[in-house]
Amino acid sequence: LHFQLPPAEQAKLVGVIRGRILDVAVDLRKGSPTYRRHVAAELGAERGEQMLIPAGFAHGFCTLEPETLIFYKVSKPFSAAQDSGIYWNDPSLGIDWPVKESEAVLSQKDMKLPRLADTDLPFRYAG
């Protein structure tokens, strides 16, 4: 589940060009009524759905079809220095992923991400 830290935090608009995904956003803003909660939606190319992920949320997805192709529009450019994330299958988040942990294909970087409880993130809810 990826995000960028301030001052490079991003809002993302996510869509699917080919195939389908389960798209997930997790609220990381301390003080928010939905802090640590997530929303998940299936997005598909045929239906043309998109999901807006606000700044201060982590984002991740799982492809549901081979050769799936997604696109992102972001509010700020990528910043390697502020690039961060939390472990995709953190049990405290309760995300019902459609893949077993043993079968998930992850990058080396994603395999090493911390659980949310092991982070001190700077995102705050503004009311």
Side-chain angles (χ1 to χ4, degrees):
L1 295 163
H2 298 159
F3 52 88
Q4 288 194 170
L5 297 168
E9 64 270 34
Q10 295 175 321
K12 297 177 184 176
L13 180 64
V14 181
V16 179
I17 296 170
R18 179 177 58 229
R20 294 180 305 121
I21 64 172
L22 178 69
D23 208 35
V24 176
V26 178
D27 189 352
L28 301 178
R29 302 166 302 154
K30 291 178 184 167
S32 167
T34 57
Y35 177 61
R36 298 177 64 104
R37 293 188 194 164
H38 71 277
V39 62
E42 184 178 312
L43 306 180
E46 286 186 15
R47 297 183 304 266
E49 301 99 346
Q50 298 178 357
M51 184 181 233
L52 179 63
I53 315 296
F57 282 65
H59 172 252
F61 65 90
C62 178
T63 59
L64 301 174
E65 293 181 10
E67 306 298 321
T68 294
L69 183 61
I70 68 169
F71 72 86
Y72 287 74
K73 291 184 179 186
V74 294
S75 61
K76 292 184 181 176
F78 175 75
S79 171
Q82 279 80 32
D83 185 37
S84 193
I86 54 176
Y87 192 64
W88 71 281
N89 204 20
D90 182 336
S92 74
L93 301 175
I95 300 169
D96 187 18
W97 292 103
V99 63
K100 294 178 185 173
E101 190 163 10
S102 62
E103 297 172 352
V105 178
L106 303 170
S107 70
Q108 288 295 316
K109 179 180 107 176
D110 287 350
M111 284 189 250
K112 297 175 185 175
L113 290 172
R115 298 188 189 283
L116 184 56
D118 298 328
T119 65
D120 184 23
L121 298 174
F123 303 111
R124 300 290 180 267
Y125 179 65

